[in-house]
Amino acid sequence: QVQLVESGGGLVQAGGSLRLSCADSGHTFSSYTMGWFRQAPGKEREFVATITWNGDSTYYANSLKGRFTISRDNAKNTVYLQMNSLKPEDTATYYCAARRGGLNIARREYDYWGQGTQVTVSS
């Protein structure tokens, strides 16, 4: 069973940084590919980044490459999203998700989701 809880969101000024965390209280975290998605008000949930079970491979939304970094620590059952040079358009609720299998950018391919953490970037 996978139970995901995000943390680390908040209010930050444009140009600032935040690191989001997503912890799994289950015992199979290292078996799963993990992803981060985000949803802004009035918009669909969109893909941000994904990482394989062992951290060897990652993939990012093109528009976020160079600013966002996904990583994981299987010993802590936690996946991270480091966000730098934040912009007001990064304002959204950020969700982590888990799936069996390889990297995937489609939200329908993820089986487990957290409740989300709010990130607000002021101009």
Side-chain angles (χ1 to χ4, degrees):
Q1 185 71 14
V2 177
Q3 294 179 316
L4 305 173
V5 178
E6 301 95 336
S7 62
L11 174 64
V12 63
Q13 288 188 333
S17 298
L18 281 176
R19 188 177 80 155
L20 306 183
S21 300
C22 171
D24 173 26
S25 60
H27 301 287
T28 58
F29 177 79
S30 60
S31 301
Y32 290 84
T33 287
M34 300 299 296
W36 283 98
F37 292 76
R38 68 184 184 182
Q39 188 167 17
K43 295 188 177 181
E44 292 192 353
R45 193 170 300 188
E46 65 175 359
F47 168 75
V48 172
T50 182
I51 186 168
T52 50
W53 68 273
N54 59 1
D56 280 358
S57 294
T58 58
Y59 188 80
Y60 297 89
N62 284 337
S63 62
L64 301 176
K65 284 181 182 177
R67 294 196 300 123
F68 288 17
T69 303
I70 189 172
S71 62
R72 69 189 295 162
D73 185 342
N74 286 344
K76 295 182 179 180
N77 283 5
T78 301
V79 62
Y80 304 98
L81 184 69
Q82 178 68 43
M83 305 186 295
N84 298 328
S85 302
L86 283 163
K87 305 175 181 180
E89 51 263 44
D90 294 318
T91 295
T93 301
Y94 284 72
Y95 299 89
C96 68
R99 71 181 302 271
R100 291 194 182 276
L103 301 178
N104 201 296
I105 68 170
R107 62 180 188 265
R108 66 180 181 275
E109 296 294 330
Y110 285 78
D111 302 306
Y112 303 97
W113 292 83
Q115 293 301 306
T117 186
Q118 177 66 37
V119 172
T120 303
V121 184
S122 63
S123 58

